[in-house]
Short mmCIF file of all heavy atoms in Angstrom, two decimals:
data_model
loop_
_atom_site.label_atom_id
_atom_site.label_comp_id
_atom_site.label_asym_id
_atom_site.label_seq_id
_atom_site.Cartn_x
_atom_site.Cartn_y
_atom_site.Cartn_z
N MET T 822 61.72 -20.14 101.86
CA MET T 822 62.52 -20.23 103.08
C MET T 822 61.80 -21.10 104.11
O MET T 822 60.59 -21.04 104.23
CB MET T 822 62.74 -18.83 103.64
CG MET T 822 63.87 -18.79 104.64
SD MET T 822 64.22 -17.11 105.18
CE MET T 822 63.14 -17.02 106.59
N ARG T 823 62.55 -21.90 104.84
CA ARG T 823 61.93 -22.77 105.84
C ARG T 823 61.52 -21.94 107.05
O ARG T 823 62.24 -21.04 107.48
CB ARG T 823 62.89 -23.86 106.24
CG ARG T 823 63.23 -24.74 105.04
CD ARG T 823 63.97 -25.98 105.42
NE ARG T 823 65.26 -25.70 106.02
CZ ARG T 823 66.05 -26.65 106.48
NH1 ARG T 823 65.70 -27.90 106.41
NH2 ARG T 823 67.21 -26.36 107.01
N SER T 824 60.36 -22.31 107.62
CA SER T 824 59.86 -21.51 108.73
C SER T 824 60.60 -21.90 110.02
O SER T 824 61.07 -23.02 110.17
CB SER T 824 58.36 -21.72 108.88
OG SER T 824 58.06 -23.07 108.83
N PRO T 825 60.68 -20.94 110.95
CA PRO T 825 61.38 -21.23 112.21
C PRO T 825 60.64 -22.26 113.05
O PRO T 825 59.43 -22.46 112.88
CB PRO T 825 61.43 -19.88 112.91
CG PRO T 825 60.47 -19.01 112.21
CD PRO T 825 60.20 -19.59 110.87
N LEU T 826 61.37 -22.90 113.94
CA LEU T 826 60.78 -23.94 114.79
C LEU T 826 60.37 -23.36 116.14
O LEU T 826 61.00 -22.45 116.66
CB LEU T 826 61.79 -25.06 115.04
CG LEU T 826 62.26 -25.86 113.84
CD1 LEU T 826 63.27 -26.91 114.29
CD2 LEU T 826 61.09 -26.53 113.13
N ALA T 827 59.30 -23.94 116.68
CA ALA T 827 58.92 -23.67 118.06
C ALA T 827 59.02 -25.01 118.80
O ALA T 827 58.46 -26.02 118.37
CB ALA T 827 57.50 -23.14 118.13
N VAL T 828 59.80 -25.04 119.88
CA VAL T 828 60.10 -26.28 120.59
C VAL T 828 59.50 -26.25 121.99
O VAL T 828 59.61 -25.24 122.70
CB VAL T 828 61.64 -26.47 120.70
CG1 VAL T 828 61.98 -27.72 121.50
CG2 VAL T 828 62.27 -26.54 119.32
N THR T 829 58.86 -27.34 122.37
CA THR T 829 58.44 -27.50 123.76
C THR T 829 58.80 -28.92 124.21
O THR T 829 58.83 -29.85 123.40
CB THR T 829 56.92 -27.30 123.97
OG1 THR T 829 56.21 -28.12 123.05
CG2 THR T 829 56.51 -25.86 123.78
N VAL T 830 59.11 -29.07 125.50
CA VAL T 830 59.41 -30.38 126.07
C VAL T 830 58.38 -30.67 127.16
O VAL T 830 58.14 -29.84 128.03
CB VAL T 830 60.83 -30.44 126.65
CG1 VAL T 830 61.08 -31.77 127.34
CG2 VAL T 830 61.88 -30.22 125.56
N ASP T 831 57.78 -31.85 127.07
CA ASP T 831 56.82 -32.29 128.07
C ASP T 831 57.58 -32.83 129.28
O ASP T 831 58.19 -33.90 129.23
CB ASP T 831 55.93 -33.38 127.46
CG ASP T 831 54.86 -33.87 128.41
OD1 ASP T 831 55.04 -33.70 129.64
OD2 ASP T 831 53.87 -34.42 127.94
N ASN T 832 57.57 -32.07 130.36
CA ASN T 832 58.35 -32.45 131.55
C ASN T 832 57.85 -33.73 132.21
O ASN T 832 58.59 -34.38 132.94
CB ASN T 832 58.32 -31.32 132.57
CG ASN T 832 59.35 -30.27 132.23
OD1 ASN T 832 60.47 -30.60 131.85
ND2 ASN T 832 58.97 -29.01 132.32
N TYR T 833 56.61 -34.07 131.95
CA TYR T 833 56.08 -35.31 132.54
C TYR T 833 56.61 -36.53 131.78
O TYR T 833 56.78 -37.60 132.35
CB TYR T 833 54.55 -35.29 132.54
CG TYR T 833 54.03 -34.27 133.48
CD1 TYR T 833 53.55 -33.05 133.02
CD2 TYR T 833 54.04 -34.50 134.86
CE1 TYR T 833 53.10 -32.08 133.90
CE2 TYR T 833 53.59 -33.55 135.75
CZ TYR T 833 53.12 -32.34 135.26
OH TYR T 833 52.68 -31.39 136.14
N ARG T 834 56.85 -36.36 130.49
CA ARG T 834 57.37 -37.48 129.69
C ARG T 834 58.90 -37.57 129.79
O ARG T 834 59.46 -38.66 129.73
CB ARG T 834 56.99 -37.31 128.23
CG ARG T 834 55.53 -37.39 127.96
CD ARG T 834 55.25 -37.34 126.48
NE ARG T 834 55.53 -38.62 125.88
CZ ARG T 834 54.59 -39.48 125.49
NH1 ARG T 834 53.32 -39.17 125.63
NH2 ARG T 834 54.90 -40.62 124.95
N CYS T 835 59.57 -36.44 129.89
CA CYS T 835 61.04 -36.42 129.88
C CYS T 835 61.60 -37.14 131.10
O CYS T 835 61.25 -36.82 132.23
CB CYS T 835 61.53 -34.98 129.86
SG CYS T 835 63.32 -34.84 130.05
N HIS T 836 62.49 -38.12 130.84
CA HIS T 836 63.12 -38.86 131.93
C HIS T 836 64.60 -38.53 132.06
O HIS T 836 65.37 -39.29 132.62
CB HIS T 836 62.93 -40.37 131.72
CG HIS T 836 61.55 -40.84 132.06
ND1 HIS T 836 61.25 -42.15 132.32
CD2 HIS T 836 60.39 -40.16 132.18
CE1 HIS T 836 59.96 -42.26 132.58
NE2 HIS T 836 59.42 -41.07 132.50
N ARG T 837 64.98 -37.39 131.50
CA ARG T 837 66.36 -36.88 131.64
C ARG T 837 67.41 -37.86 131.13
O ARG T 837 68.44 -38.07 131.79
CB ARG T 837 66.65 -36.53 133.12
CG ARG T 837 66.17 -35.18 133.57
CD ARG T 837 64.72 -35.10 133.60
NE ARG T 837 64.24 -33.81 134.07
CZ ARG T 837 62.98 -33.41 133.90
NH1 ARG T 837 62.11 -34.15 133.27
NH2 ARG T 837 62.58 -32.25 134.34
N TYR T 838 67.17 -38.46 130.00
CA TYR T 838 68.16 -39.38 129.44
C TYR T 838 69.32 -38.62 128.78
O TYR T 838 70.40 -39.15 128.66
CB TYR T 838 67.52 -40.30 128.39
CG TYR T 838 66.54 -41.29 128.97
CD1 TYR T 838 65.25 -41.38 128.48
CD2 TYR T 838 66.92 -42.13 130.01
CE1 TYR T 838 64.35 -42.29 128.99
CE2 TYR T 838 66.02 -43.04 130.54
CZ TYR T 838 64.74 -43.12 130.03
OH TYR T 838 63.86 -44.01 130.55
N GLY T 839 69.04 -37.43 128.28
CA GLY T 839 70.12 -36.62 127.73
C GLY T 839 70.44 -36.84 126.26
O GLY T 839 71.39 -36.27 125.74
N PHE T 840 69.66 -37.68 125.57
CA PHE T 840 69.93 -37.89 124.14
C PHE T 840 69.80 -36.57 123.37
O PHE T 840 70.54 -36.33 122.42
CB PHE T 840 68.95 -38.91 123.53
CG PHE T 840 69.18 -40.31 124.02
CD1 PHE T 840 68.36 -40.85 124.98
CD2 PHE T 840 70.21 -41.07 123.50
CE1 PHE T 840 68.56 -42.14 125.43
CE2 PHE T 840 70.42 -42.36 123.95
CZ PHE T 840 69.59 -42.91 124.93
N CYS T 841 68.85 -35.76 123.76
CA CYS T 841 68.65 -34.49 123.06
C CYS T 841 69.90 -33.62 123.17
O CYS T 841 70.33 -33.01 122.19
CB CYS T 841 67.44 -33.76 123.63
SG CYS T 841 67.50 -33.55 125.42
N GLN T 842 70.50 -33.60 124.34
CA GLN T 842 71.71 -32.80 124.54
C GLN T 842 72.86 -33.33 123.70
O GLN T 842 73.65 -32.56 123.15
CB GLN T 842 72.09 -32.81 126.02
CG GLN T 842 73.32 -32.00 126.33
CD GLN T 842 73.63 -32.04 127.81
OE1 GLN T 842 73.32 -31.10 128.53
NE2 GLN T 842 74.20 -33.12 128.27
N ALA T 843 72.94 -34.66 123.56
CA ALA T 843 74.00 -35.24 122.74
C ALA T 843 73.81 -34.89 121.27
O ALA T 843 74.78 -34.65 120.56
CB ALA T 843 74.01 -36.77 122.93
N GLU T 844 72.57 -34.85 120.81
CA GLU T 844 72.30 -34.55 119.41
C GLU T 844 72.38 -33.06 119.10
O GLU T 844 72.78 -32.68 118.02
CB GLU T 844 70.90 -35.05 119.01
CG GLU T 844 70.76 -36.54 118.94
CD GLU T 844 71.65 -37.17 117.89
OE1 GLU T 844 71.92 -36.54 116.86
OE2 GLU T 844 72.07 -38.32 118.11
N ALA T 845 71.96 -32.26 120.05
CA ALA T 845 71.90 -30.82 119.80
C ALA T 845 72.40 -30.04 121.02
O ALA T 845 71.65 -29.36 121.71
CB ALA T 845 70.46 -30.40 119.47
N PRO T 846 73.72 -30.17 121.30
CA PRO T 846 74.27 -29.42 122.43
C PRO T 846 74.12 -27.93 122.15
O PRO T 846 74.29 -27.49 121.02
CB PRO T 846 75.74 -29.86 122.47
CG PRO T 846 76.03 -30.42 121.13
CD PRO T 846 74.73 -30.90 120.54
N GLY T 847 73.78 -27.20 123.14
CA GLY T 847 73.55 -25.76 122.91
C GLY T 847 72.08 -25.46 122.77
O GLY T 847 71.62 -24.39 123.15
N ASN T 848 71.31 -26.41 122.23
CA ASN T 848 69.87 -26.22 122.14
C ASN T 848 69.17 -26.90 123.31
O ASN T 848 68.09 -26.47 123.73
CB ASN T 848 69.33 -26.79 120.83
CG ASN T 848 69.99 -26.18 119.62
OD1 ASN T 848 70.83 -26.79 119.00
ND2 ASN T 848 69.65 -24.93 119.31
N PHE T 849 69.81 -27.97 123.82
CA PHE T 849 69.28 -28.68 124.99
C PHE T 849 70.42 -28.80 125.99
O PHE T 849 71.54 -29.13 125.63
CB PHE T 849 68.79 -30.08 124.61
CG PHE T 849 67.63 -30.07 123.65
CD1 PHE T 849 67.85 -30.06 122.29
CD2 PHE T 849 66.32 -30.06 124.12
CE1 PHE T 849 66.79 -30.03 121.39
CE2 PHE T 849 65.26 -30.04 123.23
CZ PHE T 849 65.49 -30.03 121.86
N ASP T 850 70.12 -28.52 127.23
CA ASP T 850 71.16 -28.55 128.26
C ASP T 850 70.58 -29.15 129.54
O ASP T 850 69.70 -28.57 130.17
CB ASP T 850 71.65 -27.12 128.52
CG ASP T 850 72.72 -27.09 129.59
OD1 ASP T 850 73.53 -28.04 129.64
OD2 ASP T 850 72.73 -26.14 130.40
N LEU T 851 71.09 -30.35 129.85
CA LEU T 851 70.65 -31.04 131.05
C LEU T 851 71.53 -30.59 132.22
O LEU T 851 72.72 -30.90 132.25
CB LEU T 851 70.77 -32.55 130.81
CG LEU T 851 69.95 -33.50 131.65
CD1 LEU T 851 68.48 -33.12 131.71
CD2 LEU T 851 70.13 -34.92 131.13
N ALA T 852 70.97 -29.86 133.15
CA ALA T 852 71.74 -29.32 134.27
C ALA T 852 72.03 -30.41 135.29
O ALA T 852 71.36 -31.45 135.30
CB ALA T 852 70.98 -28.17 134.92
N GLU T 853 73.00 -30.16 136.16
CA GLU T 853 73.37 -31.17 137.17
C GLU T 853 72.22 -31.47 138.12
O GLU T 853 72.12 -32.56 138.65
CB GLU T 853 74.59 -30.69 137.95
CG GLU T 853 75.88 -31.01 137.21
CD GLU T 853 77.11 -30.60 137.98
OE1 GLU T 853 77.04 -30.51 139.22
OE2 GLU T 853 78.14 -30.37 137.32
N ASP T 854 71.36 -30.49 138.32
CA ASP T 854 70.22 -30.73 139.21
C ASP T 854 69.07 -31.46 138.49
O ASP T 854 68.00 -31.66 139.06
CB ASP T 854 69.72 -29.41 139.81
CG ASP T 854 69.16 -28.45 138.77
OD1 ASP T 854 69.07 -28.83 137.58
OD2 ASP T 854 68.79 -27.33 139.14
N GLY T 855 69.30 -31.86 137.22
CA GLY T 855 68.30 -32.64 136.49
C GLY T 855 67.35 -31.80 135.67
O GLY T 855 66.52 -32.34 134.94
N ARG T 856 67.48 -30.48 135.78
CA ARG T 856 66.60 -29.60 135.01
C ARG T 856 67.04 -29.57 133.54
O ARG T 856 68.23 -29.54 133.25
CB ARG T 856 66.67 -28.19 135.59
CG ARG T 856 65.38 -27.44 135.56
CD ARG T 856 65.43 -26.24 136.51
NE ARG T 856 66.79 -25.71 136.70
CZ ARG T 856 67.33 -24.77 135.93
NH1 ARG T 856 66.66 -24.23 134.94
NH2 ARG T 856 68.56 -24.35 136.17
N LEU T 857 66.09 -29.62 132.64
CA LEU T 857 66.41 -29.54 131.22
C LEU T 857 66.08 -28.13 130.72
O LEU T 857 64.92 -27.72 130.71
CB LEU T 857 65.61 -30.57 130.42
CG LEU T 857 65.86 -30.55 128.91
CD1 LEU T 857 67.27 -31.03 128.58
CD2 LEU T 857 64.84 -31.42 128.18
N ASP T 858 67.14 -27.40 130.35
CA ASP T 858 66.94 -26.10 129.71
C ASP T 858 66.99 -26.32 128.22
O ASP T 858 67.77 -27.15 127.74
CB ASP T 858 68.05 -25.12 130.10
CG ASP T 858 67.92 -24.66 131.52
OD1 ASP T 858 66.78 -24.56 132.01
OD2 ASP T 858 68.97 -24.44 132.16
N TYR T 859 66.18 -25.58 127.50
CA TYR T 859 66.21 -25.75 126.04
C TYR T 859 65.78 -24.47 125.35
O TYR T 859 65.12 -23.61 125.94
CB TYR T 859 65.33 -26.93 125.62
CG TYR T 859 63.86 -26.79 125.97
CD1 TYR T 859 62.95 -26.32 125.03
CD2 TYR T 859 63.41 -27.12 127.24
CE1 TYR T 859 61.61 -26.19 125.35
CE2 TYR T 859 62.07 -26.98 127.57
CZ TYR T 859 61.17 -26.53 126.61
OH TYR T 859 59.85 -26.39 126.94
N ASP T 860 66.18 -24.41 124.12
CA ASP T 860 65.92 -23.28 123.25
C ASP T 860 64.51 -23.40 122.68
O ASP T 860 64.24 -24.31 121.89
CB ASP T 860 66.92 -23.41 122.10
CG ASP T 860 67.46 -22.12 121.62
OD1 ASP T 860 66.97 -21.09 122.07
OD2 ASP T 860 68.40 -22.17 120.80
N ARG T 861 63.62 -22.53 123.06
CA ARG T 861 62.24 -22.64 122.56
C ARG T 861 62.11 -22.14 121.12
O ARG T 861 61.19 -22.51 120.42
CB ARG T 861 61.30 -21.87 123.48
CG ARG T 861 61.06 -22.62 124.77
CD ARG T 861 60.45 -21.75 125.86
NE ARG T 861 60.15 -22.56 127.04
CZ ARG T 861 61.03 -22.98 127.91
NH1 ARG T 861 62.32 -22.71 127.74
NH2 ARG T 861 60.68 -23.70 128.95
N ARG T 862 63.03 -21.29 120.72
CA ARG T 862 63.04 -20.77 119.35
C ARG T 862 64.44 -20.92 118.76
O ARG T 862 65.18 -19.93 118.68
CB ARG T 862 62.65 -19.28 119.36
CG ARG T 862 61.25 -19.00 119.84
CD ARG T 862 60.29 -19.40 118.76
NE ARG T 862 58.93 -19.12 119.16
CZ ARG T 862 57.98 -18.73 118.33
NH1 ARG T 862 58.28 -18.53 117.06
NH2 ARG T 862 56.78 -18.53 118.75
N PRO T 863 64.82 -22.13 118.40
CA PRO T 863 66.19 -22.31 117.91
C PRO T 863 66.44 -21.55 116.61
O PRO T 863 65.55 -21.45 115.77
CB PRO T 863 66.30 -23.82 117.70
CG PRO T 863 64.92 -24.33 117.64
CD PRO T 863 64.05 -23.37 118.40
N PRO T 864 67.65 -21.03 116.45
CA PRO T 864 67.97 -20.31 115.22
C PRO T 864 67.94 -21.26 114.02
O PRO T 864 68.18 -22.47 114.15
CB PRO T 864 69.38 -19.78 115.46
CG PRO T 864 69.89 -20.46 116.68
CD PRO T 864 68.74 -21.05 117.42
N ALA T 865 67.65 -20.71 112.85
CA ALA T 865 67.47 -21.51 111.63
C ALA T 865 68.62 -22.49 111.34
O ALA T 865 68.36 -23.63 110.96
CB ALA T 865 67.23 -20.59 110.45
N PRO T 866 69.88 -22.11 111.54
CA PRO T 866 70.96 -23.06 111.24
C PRO T 866 70.94 -24.31 112.12
O PRO T 866 71.55 -25.32 111.78
CB PRO T 866 72.25 -22.25 111.49
CG PRO T 866 71.83 -20.83 111.43
CD PRO T 866 70.41 -20.78 111.91
N ASP T 867 70.25 -24.25 113.26
CA ASP T 867 70.21 -25.39 114.19
C ASP T 867 69.03 -26.32 113.92
O ASP T 867 68.86 -27.34 114.59
CB ASP T 867 70.11 -24.90 115.64
CG ASP T 867 71.33 -24.12 116.06
OD1 ASP T 867 72.32 -24.10 115.30
OD2 ASP T 867 71.29 -23.51 117.15
N ARG T 868 68.25 -25.98 112.92
CA ARG T 868 66.99 -26.69 112.67
C ARG T 868 67.16 -28.21 112.56
O ARG T 868 66.47 -28.98 113.23
CB ARG T 868 66.37 -26.14 111.39
CG ARG T 868 65.05 -26.76 111.03
CD ARG T 868 64.61 -26.30 109.66
NE ARG T 868 63.40 -26.97 109.28
CZ ARG T 868 62.19 -26.47 109.46
NH1 ARG T 868 62.03 -25.28 109.97
NH2 ARG T 868 61.11 -27.16 109.13
N ASP T 869 68.09 -28.66 111.72
CA ASP T 869 68.22 -30.10 111.47
C ASP T 869 68.60 -30.87 112.72
O ASP T 869 68.08 -31.95 112.99
CB ASP T 869 69.23 -30.36 110.35
CG ASP T 869 68.67 -29.94 108.99
OD1 ASP T 869 67.45 -29.71 108.90
OD2 ASP T 869 69.46 -29.84 108.04
N ARG T 870 69.52 -30.31 113.49
CA ARG T 870 69.94 -31.08 114.68
C ARG T 870 68.86 -31.06 115.77
O ARG T 870 68.74 -32.02 116.53
CB ARG T 870 71.30 -30.60 115.20
CG ARG T 870 71.35 -29.20 115.69
CD ARG T 870 72.77 -28.85 116.06
NE ARG T 870 72.81 -27.63 116.84
CZ ARG T 870 73.86 -27.18 117.45
NH1 ARG T 870 75.00 -27.85 117.37
NH2 ARG T 870 73.83 -26.06 118.13
N VAL T 871 68.06 -30.00 115.82
CA VAL T 871 66.95 -29.98 116.78
C VAL T 871 65.90 -31.02 116.37
O VAL T 871 65.36 -31.75 117.21
CB VAL T 871 66.32 -28.57 116.87
CG1 VAL T 871 65.01 -28.60 117.63
CG2 VAL T 871 67.30 -27.61 117.55
N LEU T 872 65.64 -31.13 115.07
CA LEU T 872 64.69 -32.15 114.60
C LEU T 872 65.23 -33.55 114.89
O LEU T 872 64.47 -34.45 115.28
CB LEU T 872 64.44 -31.98 113.09
CG LEU T 872 63.62 -30.74 112.71
CD1 LEU T 872 63.59 -30.58 111.20
CD2 LEU T 872 62.21 -30.82 113.28
N MET T 873 66.54 -33.73 114.73
CA MET T 873 67.15 -35.03 115.03
C MET T 873 67.04 -35.34 116.53
O MET T 873 66.74 -36.46 116.91
CB MET T 873 68.63 -35.03 114.59
CG MET T 873 69.32 -36.34 114.81
SD MET T 873 68.51 -37.72 113.98
CE MET T 873 69.06 -37.47 112.29
N ALA T 874 67.25 -34.33 117.36
CA ALA T 874 67.11 -34.53 118.80
C ALA T 874 65.69 -34.97 119.15
O ALA T 874 65.49 -35.88 119.96
CB ALA T 874 67.46 -33.23 119.54
N ALA T 875 64.71 -34.36 118.51
CA ALA T 875 63.31 -34.74 118.77
C ALA T 875 63.07 -36.19 118.35
O ALA T 875 62.39 -36.94 119.05
CB ALA T 875 62.37 -33.79 118.04
N ARG T 876 63.66 -36.58 117.23
CA ARG T 876 63.48 -37.97 116.76
C ARG T 876 64.17 -38.96 117.69
O ARG T 876 63.73 -40.09 117.84
CB ARG T 876 64.03 -38.12 115.34
CG ARG T 876 63.04 -37.70 114.28
CD ARG T 876 63.43 -38.24 112.92
NE ARG T 876 64.63 -37.60 112.40
CZ ARG T 876 64.64 -36.48 111.68
NH1 ARG T 876 63.50 -35.87 111.40
NH2 ARG T 876 65.76 -35.95 111.25
N CYS T 877 65.28 -38.55 118.30
CA CYS T 877 66.06 -39.47 119.15
C CYS T 877 65.51 -39.59 120.57
O CYS T 877 65.95 -40.48 121.31
CB CYS T 877 67.51 -38.99 119.24
SG CYS T 877 68.39 -39.25 117.70
N CYS T 878 64.62 -38.72 120.96
CA CYS T 878 64.13 -38.76 122.34
C CYS T 878 63.32 -40.05 122.56
O CYS T 878 62.29 -40.24 121.92
CB CYS T 878 63.26 -37.54 122.63
SG CYS T 878 62.50 -37.65 124.27
N PRO T 879 63.79 -40.93 123.45
CA PRO T 879 63.10 -42.21 123.64
C PRO T 879 61.71 -42.05 124.24
O PRO T 879 60.88 -42.96 124.16
CB PRO T 879 64.03 -43.00 124.57
CG PRO T 879 64.90 -41.99 125.21
CD PRO T 879 64.99 -40.81 124.30
N MET T 880 61.44 -40.92 124.86
CA MET T 880 60.14 -40.69 125.50
C MET T 880 59.20 -39.88 124.62
O MET T 880 58.08 -39.58 125.03
CB MET T 880 60.34 -39.96 126.84
CG MET T 880 61.15 -40.72 127.85
SD MET T 880 60.53 -42.39 128.14
CE MET T 880 58.93 -42.01 128.86
N GLN T 881 59.67 -39.51 123.44
CA GLN T 881 58.89 -38.63 122.55
C GLN T 881 58.36 -37.42 123.32
O GLN T 881 57.18 -37.05 123.22
CB GLN T 881 57.76 -39.42 121.89
CG GLN T 881 58.30 -40.54 121.03
CD GLN T 881 57.24 -41.33 120.31
OE1 GLN T 881 56.08 -41.34 120.70
NE2 GLN T 881 57.64 -42.00 119.26
N ALA T 882 59.27 -36.84 124.11
CA ALA T 882 58.88 -35.71 124.96
C ALA T 882 59.07 -34.36 124.27
O ALA T 882 58.59 -33.35 124.76
CB ALA T 882 59.72 -35.73 126.25
N ILE T 883 59.78 -34.37 123.13
CA ILE T 883 60.09 -33.10 122.46
C ILE T 883 59.09 -32.87 121.34
O ILE T 883 58.96 -33.68 120.43
CB ILE T 883 61.52 -33.12 121.89
CG1 ILE T 883 62.53 -33.41 123.00
CG2 ILE T 883 61.84 -31.78 121.20
CD1 ILE T 883 63.95 -33.64 122.49
N HIS T 884 58.39 -31.76 121.45
CA HIS T 884 57.40 -31.40 120.44
C HIS T 884 57.94 -30.23 119.62
O HIS T 884 58.36 -29.23 120.18
CB HIS T 884 56.09 -31.03 121.13
CG HIS T 884 55.00 -30.71 120.17
ND1 HIS T 884 54.40 -31.66 119.38
CD2 HIS T 884 54.42 -29.54 119.86
CE1 HIS T 884 53.49 -31.09 118.62
NE2 HIS T 884 53.47 -29.79 118.89
N VAL T 885 57.93 -30.41 118.30
CA VAL T 885 58.47 -29.38 117.42
C VAL T 885 57.41 -28.96 116.42
O VAL T 885 56.77 -29.81 115.79
CB VAL T 885 59.70 -29.92 116.66
CG1 VAL T 885 60.28 -28.87 115.75
CG2 VAL T 885 60.77 -30.40 117.63
N GLU T 886 57.24 -27.68 116.29
CA GLU T 886 56.27 -27.13 115.33
C GLU T 886 56.97 -26.13 114.43
O GLU T 886 57.83 -25.38 114.89
CB GLU T 886 55.22 -26.33 116.09
CG GLU T 886 53.91 -27.01 116.31
CD GLU T 886 52.98 -26.08 117.05
OE1 GLU T 886 52.51 -25.11 116.44
OE2 GLU T 886 52.76 -26.33 118.25
N SER T 887 56.58 -26.10 113.20
CA SER T 887 57.05 -25.03 112.32
C SER T 887 56.09 -23.87 112.44
O SER T 887 54.88 -24.07 112.39
CB SER T 887 57.09 -25.50 110.88
OG SER T 887 58.15 -26.40 110.70
N ARG T 888 56.64 -22.67 112.62
CA ARG T 888 55.77 -21.51 112.79
C ARG T 888 55.84 -20.63 111.57
O ARG T 888 56.85 -20.51 110.94
CB ARG T 888 56.21 -20.70 114.02
CG ARG T 888 55.86 -21.40 115.30
CD ARG T 888 54.42 -21.12 115.68
NE ARG T 888 53.89 -22.01 116.68
CZ ARG T 888 53.94 -21.80 118.00
NH1 ARG T 888 54.55 -20.78 118.47
NH2 ARG T 888 53.39 -22.66 118.81
S1 LIG P 2382 66.09 -37.05 125.14
FE1 LIG P 2382 63.94 -36.76 125.73
S2 LIG P 2382 63.77 -37.81 127.69
FE2 LIG P 2382 65.93 -37.45 127.30
S3 LIG P 2382 66.42 -35.50 128.31
FE3 LIG P 2382 65.91 -35.08 126.20
S4 LIG P 2382 63.73 -34.61 126.22
FE4 LIG P 2382 64.19 -35.66 128.09
#
């Protein structure tokens, strides 16, 4: 079985482009005030789209680890 993911976003690198939200809505949510909320422990079925969101981030601000 694949291990669950642990997600962190580096707020200093993140420039609020929103690609992560487009790739994985529900796991990443860019609020109107510019704050990025995200799922630190995404459920297993969301794994692939969270990994895709991390790959699409132009700032490489999303760090994903398998736990
Ligand atoms: S894609 Fe990257 S830079 Fe853009 S909002 Fe998401 S984490 Fe931030």
